[in-house]
Amino acid sequence: MSASKELFICQVLKPQRLIFTIFTRPAQHDAYKQAMLQVYSTIKEHQLENWIMDSTKSNFTMQDQKWSVEQLGLLLQDTPLLKVAMVRGQDAILQIVAEAMRKKIYTIFGMRKELQHFATLEEALHYVAPETNNDTALLKLRAAMHVS
């Protein structure tokens, strides 16, 4: 699993009932699936309600998108997950991908889980935990990303 740690970072913030994930570089489909199954297991194990997925360094292929909507979406239906916030940066292509995935998921599964996409980590964190002071959480997430 050490190779995937370099590729994929996953951190839980219990006070916000939050899982934060980021790929540090584009991933092959099998590595993407393995990471998403790890996310699913972590959400179930810790009964997490919020997920921030930093996708600024991802390259979601059509295969990744299809698997996420059809397989991961189905798995996540039986978890306490309520909100998913995708950080896509200013990337116009990722914005289109995020919007398309959101529409597909809402069409298939309804709106039991909220999905939104954001340009910044701060916006995503405010969306999933608007009632808390998120300065400490933001510092922890940036440390996980090795961002100064």
Side-chain angles (χ1 to χ4, degrees):
M1 193 77 166
S2 62
S4 66
K5 281 189 179 180
E6 294 175 5
L7 173 68
F8 182 70
I9 298 167
C10 179
Q11 182 172 6
V12 172
L13 298 181
K14 289 186 181 181
Q16 289 82 9
R17 299 190 66 172
L18 167 72
I19 185 169
F20 170 76
T21 61
I22 183 171
F23 281 94
T24 58
R25 62 183 184 277
Q28 298 295 319
H29 182 66
D30 287 341
Y32 173 80
K33 279 184 10 181
Q34 180 182 2
M36 293 301 101
L37 290 172
Q38 175 189 341
V39 169
Y40 165 70
S41 295
T42 303
I43 289 170
K44 283 196 69 141
E45 177 184 341
H46 295 285
Q47 295 294 292
L48 301 173
E49 295 179 354
N50 303 300
W51 179 8
I52 296 178
M53 173 191 328
D54 188 315
S55 300
T56 54
K57 296 181 178 133
S58 302
N59 66 329
F60 294 120
T61 65
M62 289 303 290
Q63 185 180 22
D64 296 338
Q65 294 172 48
K66 182 175 173 34
W67 184 86
S68 294
V69 170
E70 295 174 4
Q71 302 299 317
L72 184 61
L74 188 60
L75 290 171
L76 292 173
Q77 287 300 301
D78 293 326
T79 70
L81 187 67
L82 298 173
K83 292 182 177 180
V84 179
M86 177 184 187
V87 179
R88 52 160 171 74
Q90 299 297 329
D91 187 328
I93 299 298
L94 267 179
Q95 183 174 356
I96 293 166
V97 168
E99 193 59 33
M101 287 179 70
R102 183 171 69 151
K103 285 180 182 175
K104 287 178 190 172
I105 289 170
Y106 283 168
T107 299
I108 295 170
F109 301 109
M111 297 182 70
R112 294 188 318 175
K113 315 282 186 195
E114 294 180 39
L115 291 93
Q116 296 293 335
H117 50 93
F118 300 91
T120 68
L121 180 59
E122 293 85 355
E123 291 171 333
L125 188 56
H126 179 72
Y127 168 70
V128 298
E131 68 287 341
T132 60
N133 179 347
N134 289 317
D135 293 342
T136 304
L138 195 56
L139 289 173
K140 287 180 182 178
L141 297 180
R142 285 198 170 136
M145 296 168 48
H146 305 291
V147 173
S148 53

